Amino acid sequence: MKREWSKYFGPGPLIAAAFIGPGTVTVCTLAGVNFGYDLLWALGLSIITTIILQESAARIGLVTQLGLIPNIHRTIQKAGLRYFSIFLVLMAIVLGNAAYEAGNISGGSLGAELFFDLGSIRFLQLEINLMNLSIGIIALFLLYSGSYKLITRALTFLVILMSMAFLLSAMMVRPSVLDLIKGMVPTIKTDNILTIVALIGTTVVPYNLFLHSSLVIEKWKSIKDLKFVRFDTFLSVVLGGVVSMAIVIAGAAGSALEVSSASDLAKGLEPLMGSMAKYFIGFGLFAAGITSAVTAPLAGSLVITGCFGWTSNISGKPMRWSIGLILGLGLIFASLGIRPVQLITIAQLANGILLPLLSGYVIWLVNKKSIMGEFKNTIFMNVLSLMVWLITLLLGVLSVMKVLGLL
């Protein structure tokens, strides 16, 4: 019986850990501070969008027993288009993940520094924050353990604790049920459209599609396991979305007039929660940072090894060198004095270009009968998928326009 239940739980917590990073905490906090509960509906939409895309990517991985990059090699026949697609993915994911990694590490440090500050040291032109370095070392230790089981268990534990921290924070402020219901009714205004884009974009993450399609192969080998894959995906994405909503609720209830970093949320909640606000928010932010600091290099490394046809064995040299590259770049970026918001802007540009292209490829691939057989999309799923693709296209265009200063 125990073994049967264990089949229902796979890499889903890693997917949730990947999109609930410091960037998500900051965006959700700002949404709550500036718009109250009005944008909860945007997170509801992002949950549906993410479930559809992640389920498709996971189904492709399970049926083909290959990740998305090997499937690009396999299905795009024209060499020029194939190599261009792989180059675009490689550049966007590696640079984007390195930028996100810097934001993850810096954001995790903000949470930990609510408890204690390790200070910093200077090395050449870099000012190395010792808390950043500590988080990087912890992430490197987990990734170099060579065990997906250990990584999954460690991140599942942290995700559960992080979820409890944010959910308890939201419960302690006692939000009005009527106001929460009103927040699920879509409202779009000129002053909130960029926040809507940020809320959906911080949940629908391109590198999660690569991560998910590769990790399902480590857990499940038979198409008979599809029900387990779907359960794991649905539960994890919904849990992640609910946690994001809890952060919005806490932000809306706080007394902070502005939030320049997510750690300001703790100060804003002190009148409601007392000294406990520091511990709930500090740990939640730290856990969000460290879990995302593990998943970003892992996803990026799977892309790098897939692009060059190298082994994706986590203990192999190609994976270890790739993990070290992305984690190292993240630490360097975090030590250059660049604000995490600026780093995440770079990642948004990369993701804004990649997301509609990649989601379109996933939808195309999941409809190929020669690849998916009887497990290709139904007409109903295609209608939903088309709506999702239009959302990702809009997100991509708006993200690029925002970064270029056109909005």
Side-chain angles (χ1 to χ4, degrees), residues 6-64:
S6 69
K7 287 185 177 181
Y8 281 92
F9 302 98
L14 273 70
I15 304 306
F19 72 74
I20 308 177
T24 301
V25 177
T26 303
V27 168
C28 290
T29 299
L30 290 169
V33 169
N34 295 325
F35 303 105
Y37 304 152
D38 288 353
L39 300 184
L40 287 176
W41 67 268
L43 285 173
L45 178 62
S46 73
I47 292 172
I48 297 169
T49 302
T50 304
I51 287 174
I52 291 170
L53 286 176
Q54 293 296 155
E55 188 278 336
S56 296
R59 185 159 28 114
I60 290 168
L62 183 67
V63 172
T64 65

Side-chain angles (χ1 to χ4, degrees), residues 118-238:
L118 295 179
S120 61
I121 58 174
R122 289 201 66 83
F123 178 74
L124 299 177
Q125 298 300 313
L126 301 178
E127 184 171 348
I128 301 173
N129 182 303
L130 293 178
M131 188 66 76
N132 285 356
L133 186 61
S134 299
I135 289 174
I137 290 171
I138 293 170
L140 192 66
F141 168 77
L142 282 172
L143 290 165
Y144 274 21
S145 69
S147 170
Y148 281 115
K149 184 177 287 187
L150 174 62
I151 294 170
T152 302
R153 286 179 176 175
L155 264 62
T156 300
F157 177 70
L158 281 172
V159 167
I160 289 171
L161 292 181
M162 173 181 67
S163 301
M164 290 174 62
F166 287 127
L167 290 171
L168 285 172
S169 298
M171 290 170 63
M172 289 176 72
V173 301
R174 298 180 181 178
S176 162
V177 175
L178 183 60
D179 288 341
L180 293 179
I181 294 172
K182 288 180 180 178
M184 296 305 294
V185 178
T187 53
I188 300 176
K189 302 175 183 176
T190 54
D191 63 338
N192 69 13
I193 189 165
L194 289 182
T195 306
I196 293 169
V197 171
L199 284 172
I200 300 175
T202 198
T203 308
V204 187
V205 183
Y207 76 73
N208 260 353
L209 301 176
F210 293 99
L211 186 64
H212 208 175
S213 66
S214 296
L215 292 185
V216 292
I217 305 168
E218 301 293 329
K219 173 71 177 182
W220 297 287
K221 300 295 182 184
S222 171
I223 194 60
K224 294 178 182 178
D225 295 325
L226 182 58
K227 65 178 181 180
F228 304 129
V229 174
R230 284 173 167 163
F231 177 86
D232 181 57
T233 302
F234 180 83
L235 180 66
S236 301
V237 174
V238 169

Side-chain angles (χ1 to χ4, degrees), residues 357-371:
L357 295 174
L358 183 58
S359 60
Y361 173 75
V362 167
I363 294 166
W364 172 74
L365 187 60
V366 85
N367 275 288
K368 280 184 73 69
K369 191 167 185 179
S370 60
I371 300 292

Side-chain angles (χ1 to χ4, degrees), residues 69-128:
I69 289 291
N71 270 303
I72 290 176
H73 276 289
R74 178 186 179 191
T75 56
I76 299 180
Q77 301 301 321
K78 292 184 179 180
L81 181 59
R82 181 169 65 248
Y83 292 129
F84 173 75
S85 301
I86 290 171
F87 174 77
L88 179 65
V89 167
L90 184 63
M91 288 292 94
I93 290 293
V94 173
L95 293 177
N97 278 25
Y100 270 130
E101 185 67 356
N104 293 334
I105 291 170
S106 299
S109 292
L110 287 175
E113 285 169 357
L114 286 174
F115 299 93
F116 55 89
D117 189 352
L118 295 179
S120 61
I121 58 174
R122 289 201 66 83
F123 178 74
L124 299 177
Q125 298 300 313
L126 301 178
E127 184 171 348
I128 301 173

Side-chain angles (χ1 to χ4, degrees), residues 242-257:
V242 169
V243 170
S244 296
M245 288 181 177
I247 299 169
V248 172
I249 292 167
S255 61
L257 297 177

